[in-house]
């Protein structure tokens, strides 16, 4: 029985570590996805011969400017946490 208690402690430690790591890095993943999407859209618009904005201007538009924007960096975090809990808890 002592082994099952240690397994539960190990599972909780894995869940805790996974959730902390996910919360810490999730905004970076969101920003990366937004930049890749903007880059893809910019390359598509340049292929269609439409004038496009400078890439530095596009990046400035993607920077969070308010608390609402900051919170939006965490959109979609709940399912990711759920998946982490399920995968780390087994």
């Amino acid at each position: 029985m002592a082994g099952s208690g240690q397994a539960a402690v190990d599972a909780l430690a894995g869940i805790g570590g996974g959730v902390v790591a996910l919360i810490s890095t999730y905004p970076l993943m969101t920003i990366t996805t937004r930049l890749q999407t903007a880059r893809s859209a910019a390359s598509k618009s340049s292929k269609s011969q439409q004038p496009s904005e400078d890439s530095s201007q596009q990046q400035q538009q993607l920077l969070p400017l308010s608390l609402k924007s900051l919170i939006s960096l965490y959109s979609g975090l709940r399912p990711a946490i759920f998946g982490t809990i399920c995968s780390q808890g087994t």
Side-chain angles (χ1 to χ4, degrees):
M1 282 287 186
S4 65
Q6 183 62 36
V9 170
D10 290 344
L12 287 175
I15 290 170
V19 168
V20 167
L22 185 63
I23 290 171
S24 301
T25 60
Y26 200 81
L28 299 174
M29 291 185 280
T30 303
I31 291 170
T32 301
T33 302
R34 289 180 184 179
L35 289 173
Q36 290 172 344
T37 304
R39 186 179 304 143
S40 175
S43 68
K44 287 181 182 179
S45 68
S46 67
K47 287 180 183 178
S48 64
Q49 302 296 331
Q50 294 177 355
S52 63
E53 296 179 342
D54 183 57
S55 64
S56 63
Q57 289 176 346
Q58 290 175 346
Q59 290 176 356
Q60 288 176 354
Q61 290 175 355
L62 295 172
L63 294 175
L65 300 174
S66 66
L67 180 60
K68 184 177 178 181
S69 296
L70 186 61
I71 292 171
S72 74
L73 293 177
Y74 286 97
S75 64
L77 182 64
R78 287 184 193 160
I81 288 178
F82 180 75
T84 299
I85 290 171
C86 290
S87 66
Q88 296 293 327
T90 56

